Amino acid sequence: MPPSLAVPELWSSARTMCARLMCLIGAARAAAIACLSRRQRAELIDWLAPLEAMARKLLLIEAAALPPCTKSVRQPARAGEGACTARKHGPAFNLIPVRARERAHPARIRQLGGPILVRDMWSDAVRMQRIAHLRAAPKPAPGARLANRVAALLRVIDRPLVHARRLARLMARLARRAGRIARCVAEAPLRRRPMMFHVAAYDQTTGRAQRTGFVNSS
Protein backbone atom coordinates (compact mmCIF):
# COMPACT_ATOMS: atom_id res chain seq x y z
CA MET A 1 0.00 0.00 0.00
CA PRO A 2 1.57 3.33 -1.03
CA PRO A 3 2.16 5.88 1.76
CA SER A 4 -0.46 8.56 2.17
CA LEU A 5 0.04 12.30 2.42
CA ALA A 6 0.27 13.90 5.85
CA VAL A 7 -1.79 16.96 4.86
CA PRO A 8 -3.96 15.93 1.87
CA GLU A 9 -6.44 18.77 2.39
CA LEU A 10 -3.69 21.38 2.06
CA TRP A 11 -2.33 19.70 -1.08
CA SER A 12 -5.87 19.80 -2.46
CA SER A 13 -5.97 23.54 -1.84
CA ALA A 14 -2.61 23.95 -3.60
CA ARG A 15 -3.90 21.96 -6.59
CA THR A 16 -6.97 24.18 -6.82
CA MET A 17 -4.80 27.29 -6.90
CA CYS A 18 -2.47 25.72 -9.48
CA ALA A 19 -5.52 25.05 -11.65
CA ARG A 20 -6.41 28.75 -11.43
CA LEU A 21 -2.85 29.60 -12.36
CA MET A 22 -3.09 27.39 -15.47
CA CYS A 23 -6.37 29.05 -16.42
CA LEU A 24 -4.52 32.34 -16.32
CA ILE A 25 -1.64 31.37 -18.64
CA GLY A 26 -3.32 28.66 -20.73
CA ALA A 27 -0.21 26.50 -21.14
CA ALA A 28 3.07 26.22 -19.23
CA ARG A 29 5.15 26.73 -22.36
CA ALA A 30 7.66 29.47 -22.99
CA ALA A 31 5.95 30.52 -26.22
CA ALA A 32 2.59 30.88 -24.46
CA ILE A 33 4.07 32.85 -21.57
CA ALA A 34 6.00 35.09 -23.97
CA CYS A 35 2.68 36.08 -25.56
CA LEU A 36 1.19 37.26 -22.29
CA SER A 37 0.68 40.95 -21.74
CA ARG A 38 2.69 42.79 -19.10
CA ARG A 39 -0.32 42.75 -16.79
CA GLN A 40 -0.83 39.01 -17.27
CA ARG A 41 2.85 38.29 -16.58
CA ALA A 42 2.66 40.33 -13.38
CA GLU A 43 -0.43 38.38 -12.34
CA LEU A 44 1.38 35.12 -13.12
CA ILE A 45 4.29 36.09 -10.86
CA ASP A 46 1.84 37.18 -8.15
CA TRP A 47 0.41 33.64 -8.16
CA LEU A 48 3.63 31.70 -8.78
CA ALA A 49 5.80 33.05 -5.96
CA PRO A 50 3.38 32.28 -3.07
CA LEU A 51 2.50 28.88 -4.56
CA GLU A 52 6.20 27.97 -4.66
CA ALA A 53 6.57 29.04 -1.02
CA MET A 54 3.51 27.01 -0.02
CA ALA A 55 4.81 23.97 -1.91
CA ARG A 56 8.12 24.15 -0.01
CA LYS A 57 6.25 24.31 3.29
CA LEU A 58 4.09 21.32 2.33
CA LEU A 59 7.15 19.31 1.26
CA LEU A 60 8.79 20.14 4.60
CA ILE A 61 5.73 18.76 6.41
CA GLU A 62 5.70 15.62 4.28
CA ALA A 63 9.46 15.06 4.61
CA ALA A 64 9.21 15.31 8.40
CA ALA A 65 6.38 12.76 8.43
CA LEU A 66 8.28 10.16 6.38
CA PRO A 67 9.59 7.05 8.16
CA PRO A 68 13.25 7.21 9.25
CA CYS A 69 14.41 4.73 6.61
CA THR A 70 13.42 7.21 3.90
CA LYS A 71 15.76 9.83 5.33
CA SER A 72 18.90 7.69 5.22
CA VAL A 73 22.04 9.30 3.89
CA ARG A 74 23.32 7.56 0.77
CA GLN A 75 26.01 9.95 -0.38
CA PRO A 76 28.04 12.89 0.98
CA ALA A 77 26.94 16.45 0.48
CA ARG A 78 27.90 18.12 -2.78
CA ALA A 79 28.31 21.74 -3.72
CA GLY A 80 25.16 23.47 -4.96
CA GLU A 81 22.68 21.14 -3.23
CA GLY A 82 19.08 22.10 -3.80
CA ALA A 83 19.76 24.30 -6.80
CA CYS A 84 17.43 23.99 -9.72
CA THR A 85 19.24 21.96 -12.39
CA ALA A 86 18.02 21.12 -15.87
CA ARG A 87 17.37 17.40 -16.16
CA LYS A 88 16.38 15.22 -19.03
CA HIS A 89 12.90 14.67 -17.60
CA GLY A 90 12.21 18.35 -16.94
CA PRO A 91 13.16 21.26 -14.69
CA ALA A 92 13.74 20.51 -11.02
CA PHE A 93 11.93 22.37 -8.25
CA ASN A 94 14.04 24.55 -5.95
CA LEU A 95 13.64 22.77 -2.63
CA ILE A 96 15.76 25.36 -0.85
CA PRO A 97 14.89 29.04 -1.38
CA VAL A 98 17.67 31.35 -2.49
CA ARG A 99 17.83 33.22 0.81
CA ALA A 100 18.54 29.97 2.70
CA ARG A 101 21.46 28.83 0.55
CA GLU A 102 25.09 29.23 1.48
CA ARG A 103 26.63 32.42 0.24
CA ALA A 104 29.49 32.21 -2.19
CA HIS A 105 32.97 32.78 -0.84
CA PRO A 106 34.03 36.43 -1.02
CA ALA A 107 36.41 37.47 -3.74
CA ARG A 108 40.04 36.81 -2.98
CA ILE A 109 43.02 38.91 -3.95
CA ARG A 110 44.74 37.28 -6.90
CA GLN A 111 48.42 37.58 -7.62
CA LEU A 112 49.50 39.97 -10.33
CA GLY A 113 50.53 38.47 -13.64
CA GLY A 114 49.81 35.02 -15.02
CA PRO A 115 49.45 31.84 -12.96
CA ILE A 116 52.64 30.19 -11.76
CA LEU A 117 51.49 26.90 -10.28
CA VAL A 118 50.24 24.12 -12.55
CA ARG A 119 47.01 23.81 -10.55
CA ASP A 120 46.34 27.52 -11.12
CA MET A 121 46.95 27.10 -14.82
CA TRP A 122 44.46 24.21 -14.97
CA SER A 123 41.93 26.20 -12.92
CA ASP A 124 42.18 29.19 -15.26
CA ALA A 125 41.88 26.94 -18.31
CA VAL A 126 38.72 25.32 -16.92
CA ARG A 127 37.26 28.71 -16.05
CA MET A 128 37.91 30.09 -19.53
CA GLN A 129 36.39 26.97 -21.08
CA ARG A 130 33.23 27.42 -19.03
CA ILE A 131 33.02 31.07 -20.03
CA ALA A 132 33.36 30.09 -23.69
CA HIS A 133 30.57 27.50 -23.34
CA LEU A 134 28.28 30.07 -21.71
CA ARG A 135 28.93 32.60 -24.44
CA ALA A 136 28.33 30.02 -27.17
CA ALA A 137 25.12 28.70 -25.61
CA PRO A 138 21.91 29.85 -27.32
CA LYS A 139 19.90 32.47 -25.52
CA PRO A 140 16.81 31.12 -23.74
CA ALA A 141 13.48 31.80 -25.37
CA PRO A 142 11.40 34.67 -23.93
CA GLY A 143 9.35 33.33 -21.05
CA ALA A 144 11.51 30.18 -20.66
CA ARG A 145 12.45 30.91 -17.07
CA LEU A 146 8.85 31.40 -15.96
CA ALA A 147 7.79 28.34 -17.95
CA ASN A 148 10.40 26.22 -16.16
CA ARG A 149 9.21 27.46 -12.78
CA VAL A 150 5.60 26.64 -13.61
CA ALA A 151 6.51 23.20 -14.96
CA ALA A 152 8.60 22.41 -11.86
CA LEU A 153 5.76 23.48 -9.56
CA LEU A 154 3.26 21.32 -11.43
CA ARG A 155 5.58 18.32 -11.06
CA VAL A 156 5.64 18.84 -7.28
CA ILE A 157 1.85 19.09 -7.13
CA ASP A 158 1.51 15.97 -9.26
CA ARG A 159 3.96 13.79 -7.26
CA PRO A 160 4.53 15.37 -3.84
CA LEU A 161 5.89 12.29 -2.05
CA VAL A 162 8.68 11.86 -4.60
CA HIS A 163 9.87 15.39 -3.91
CA ALA A 164 9.32 14.99 -0.15
CA ARG A 165 11.69 12.00 -0.15
CA ARG A 166 14.22 14.03 -2.11
CA LEU A 167 13.94 16.83 0.44
CA ALA A 168 14.33 14.39 3.36
CA ARG A 169 17.55 13.01 1.88
CA LEU A 170 18.81 16.51 1.21
CA MET A 171 18.11 17.64 4.78
CA ALA A 172 19.92 14.56 6.09
CA ARG A 173 22.99 15.42 4.05
CA LEU A 174 22.85 19.06 5.16
CA ALA A 175 22.27 18.17 8.80
CA ARG A 176 24.24 21.11 10.18
CA ARG A 177 22.14 23.61 8.24
CA ALA A 178 18.85 21.69 8.24
CA GLY A 179 17.34 23.67 11.12
CA ARG A 180 18.14 27.05 9.57
CA ILE A 181 16.88 25.96 6.16
CA ALA A 182 13.66 24.58 7.64
CA ARG A 183 12.98 27.77 9.59
CA CYS A 184 13.56 29.86 6.48
CA VAL A 185 11.07 27.72 4.55
CA ALA A 186 8.48 27.54 7.32
CA GLU A 187 8.57 31.25 8.17
CA ALA A 188 8.34 32.51 4.58
CA PRO A 189 5.61 35.21 4.63
CA LEU A 190 2.86 35.62 2.08
CA ARG A 191 4.21 38.68 0.30
CA ARG A 192 1.63 38.63 -2.52
CA ARG A 193 -2.09 37.97 -2.05
CA PRO A 194 -3.68 37.57 -5.48
CA MET A 195 -7.45 37.51 -5.73
CA MET A 196 -8.98 34.11 -4.81
CA PHE A 197 -5.73 32.90 -3.24
CA HIS A 198 -6.35 30.55 -0.30
CA VAL A 199 -4.77 32.69 2.40
CA ALA A 200 -6.22 30.55 5.22
CA ALA A 201 -4.68 27.40 3.70
CA TYR A 202 -1.32 29.16 3.38
CA ASP A 203 -1.44 30.25 7.03
CA GLN A 204 -2.41 26.75 8.12
CA THR A 205 0.48 25.32 6.11
CA THR A 206 2.84 27.79 7.79
CA GLY A 207 1.67 26.71 11.23
CA ARG A 208 2.09 23.01 10.44
CA ALA A 209 5.53 23.58 8.93
CA GLN A 210 6.71 25.51 11.99
CA ARG A 211 5.87 22.53 14.20
CA THR A 212 7.92 19.99 12.26
CA GLY A 213 10.97 18.29 13.71
CA PHE A 214 13.22 19.99 11.16
CA VAL A 215 12.34 23.45 12.46
CA ASN A 216 12.66 22.45 16.10
CA SER A 217 16.01 20.71 15.61
CA SER A 218 19.13 22.48 16.80
Side-chain angles (χ1 to χ4, degrees), residues 12-166:
S12 177
S13 179
R15 289 190 188 94
T16 300
M17 289 188 286
C18 277
R20 291 174 181 168
L21 173 64
M22 296 309 297
C23 289
L24 171 67
I25 62 178
R29 293 190 298 271
I33 292 177
C35 295
L36 297 178
S37 65
R38 181 178 299 179
R39 179 179 179 181
Q40 289 173 321
R41 286 173 66 91
E43 191 175 356
L44 165 60
I45 295 174
D46 285 346
W47 271 94
L48 184 57
L51 278 175
E52 288 174 331
M54 184 174 178
R56 290 190 188 99
K57 295 172 188 282
L58 289 172
L59 290 177
L60 189 69
I61 298 169
E62 298 295 343
L66 290 172
C69 60
T70 313
K71 307 172 187 178
S72 60
V73 183
R74 298 184 179 180
Q75 55 186 355
R78 298 186 298 270
E81 289 286 1
C84 181
T85 56
R87 300 184 178 182
K88 293 181 180 179
H89 53 269
F93 184 74
N94 282 334
L95 297 174
I96 299 178
V98 175
R99 61 185 177 278
R101 298 177 196 165
E102 285 187 328
R103 295 182 179 179
H105 294 292
R108 297 179 180 179
I109 300 176
R110 296 176 60 88
Q111 63 181 11
L112 297 177
I116 299 176
L117 299 177
V118 175
R119 65 184 181 187
D120 293 334
M121 295 179 183
W122 278 106
S123 178
D124 282 1
V126 171
R127 182 174 62 86
M128 295 305 296
Q129 186 178 14
R130 290 177 178 173
I131 292 174
H133 282 312
L134 289 174
R135 288 176 177 174
K139 293 183 179 180
R145 186 175 180 180
L146 282 175
N148 287 338
R149 287 175 61 184
V150 173
L153 176 63
L154 294 178
R155 290 181 60 212
V156 170
I157 298 298
D158 185 50
R159 304 182 66 187
L161 285 178
V162 172
H163 293 80
R165 295 187 189 100
R166 177 178 157 225

Side-chain angles (χ1 to χ4, degrees), residues 70 162 167 169 208:
T70 313
V162 172
L167 176 61
R169 291 191 294 268
R208 291 288 298 269

